[in-house]
Amino acid sequence: MANEFHTLLDATIQHLEGLKARGARHVAVTPATLQALRKPLAKTQAPAAGPAPAAPVKAPGRVQAGTPAARTLPSSSLPLSSKTPLQGAEKEKAMRALAARVTGCTKCPRLPESRTQTVFGVGTVHARLMFVGEAPGADEDAQGEPFVGRAGQLLTKIIETMGLQRGEVYIGNILKCRPDTPGQSSGNRKPTPVEMATCLGYLEEQIGIIQPQVMVALGATAVQGLLGQQVAGRTMGSLRGDWLEWRGIPLMVTYHPAYLLRNQSLTEKRKVWEDMLKVMAKLELPISAKQRGFFLKK
Ligand code: URA
């Protein structure tokens, strides 16, 4: 067994060195493989522990397979804590330079022509908390700022109810362009897996510059974009409310505010609010009795 292992290890090293010699600087690795590689060997070989997966529950949005799954992972796929964080003005400078690159981006075949402008992100580079959404809609495309439409106004209200200001957090999206809707005068469409994989590097850079203490993924597309195959097939109902991790940063998954606009029930509002209470606790923000009780049935 040990011999077989070393033979395979030698063959893998030889293969990787061959690729490197031919100029390759990246290899395609799925998030699941990456996760397994981070674990000590004994754990990797042990049968998966923990409770049996819960039966899928009825909830908005199932995370789809076939996302940025086996895309090429840059070296930034290491835990962020392994990188030296930028300080003060360096962060602002790096974010400005990145924003300039995004403004001129032409990586996708149609979006550069269909967009009014790119929608980069909003908030402070010094944020402890970062929200990640899906993609700009019509309002965001027109104004050049994420989450300014009806869903955005609700997000702002949620942030303020947490005792924060919109300018104290950072808000970004998986996609920096509004997905085009050819032949339609209104409406939105979900980003395709290829669009997500193409654009994701920008979000990863934004997160790397900010290095927030906590992130919140708003809806299925956001969590799918961030965690890919790791969450494929999982329902939003089974994902929300528990802490996940994105490269060492605690990640809370919750429903997209647009879902709350469609479903005004107190129960669903309370679920999102409970997720935000967990975020507040993680950030050691003060929580009043009034805040604890929001959206509870009297
Ligand atoms: N929905 C999103 O996911 N992002 C936005 O910026 C606006 C609406």
Side-chain angles (χ1 to χ4, degrees):
M1 180 69 194
N3 272 346
E4 264 175 47
F5 172 75
H6 283 109
T7 308
L8 279 171
L9 187 62
D10 286 343
T12 308
I13 292 169
Q14 216 177 344
H15 174 67
L16 290 172
E17 281 181 343
L19 286 177
K20 196 173 163 190
R22 291 195 295 278
R25 290 292 171 267
H26 302 100
V27 288
V29 183
T30 66
T33 306
L34 203 62
Q35 200 69 22
L37 286 171
R38 283 202 195 108
K39 289 182 192 155
L41 190 58
K43 273 195 196 158
T44 318
Q45 288 172 340
V57 290
K58 198 166 176 285
R62 184 185 286 271
V63 178
Q64 289 162 8
T67 320
R71 64 196 171 77
T72 301
L73 289 169
S75 58
S76 63
S77 57
L78 296 167
L80 277 185
S81 54
S82 68
K83 297 183 109 191
T84 314
L86 296 175
Q87 300 299 331
E90 285 173 345
K91 284 191 172 196
E92 278 144 27
K93 193 173 160 202
M95 199 63 103
R96 275 197 302 275
L98 177 58
R101 278 167 45 217
V102 168
T103 302
C105 182
T106 55
K107 287 194 212 171
C108 290
R110 293 187 314 271
L111 304 188
E113 287 82 55
S114 65
R115 72 188 179 212
T116 305
Q117 56 196 313
T118 52
V119 178
F120 181 65
V122 69
T124 171
V125 288
H126 309 293
R128 296 169 66 210
L129 173 59
M130 177 163 177
F131 290 87
V132 176
E134 178 177 314
D139 293 312
E140 290 75 20
D141 176 69
Q143 294 183 43
E145 183 173 324
F147 282 98
V148 290
R150 279 184 69 225
Q153 286 158 24
L154 179 54
L155 176 63
T156 304
K157 216 159 141 188
I158 293 171
I159 293 167
E160 288 173 357
T161 310
M162 293 168 80
L164 298 167
Q165 293 301 309
R166 193 172 151 101
E168 282 179 88
V169 302
Y170 195 88
I171 307 172
N173 279 315
I174 299 286
L175 232 65
K176 306 294 186 244
C177 293
R178 180 180 186 217
D180 62 340
T181 50
Q184 281 176 235
S185 56
S186 62
N188 294 318
R189 74 159 169 85
K190 278 200 176 307
T192 66
V194 170
E195 286 167 344
M196 286 163 70
T198 306
C199 206
L200 197 61
Y202 293 135
L203 180 70
E204 290 171 345
E205 285 192 60
Q206 285 174 302
I207 302 170
I209 293 167
I210 298 168
Q211 301 222 5
Q213 283 168 27
V214 173
M215 295 201 296
V216 175
L218 299 164
T221 304
V223 64
Q224 185 180 348
L226 286 168
L227 299 182
Q229 286 300 106
Q230 224 178 301
V231 290
R234 297 270 308 267
T235 61
M236 274 300 289
S238 75
L239 282 168
R240 66 142 282 276
D242 286 331
W243 286 107
L244 299 176
E245 226 178 65
W246 186 89
R247 298 190 195 162
I249 300 176
L251 174 71
M252 176 58 65
V253 179
T254 197
Y255 294 141
H256 194 287
Y259 167 71
L260 292 185
L261 292 176
R262 292 194 302 274
N263 186 337
Q264 298 270 345
S265 86
L266 214 56
T267 323
E268 298 309 278
K269 286 181 186 166
R270 176 67 196 179
K271 285 180 190 165
V272 171
W273 185 242
E274 276 173 11
D275 300 342
M276 294 308 103
L277 287 173
K278 287 182 187 167
V279 169
M280 289 168 73
K282 184 72 98 185
L283 290 168
E284 298 182 359
L285 293 172
I287 307 179
S288 68
K290 190 176 166 193
Q291 280 172 318
R292 278 195 199 287
F294 280 139
F295 308 115
L296 280 180
K297 287 185 185 128
K298 299 282 181 299

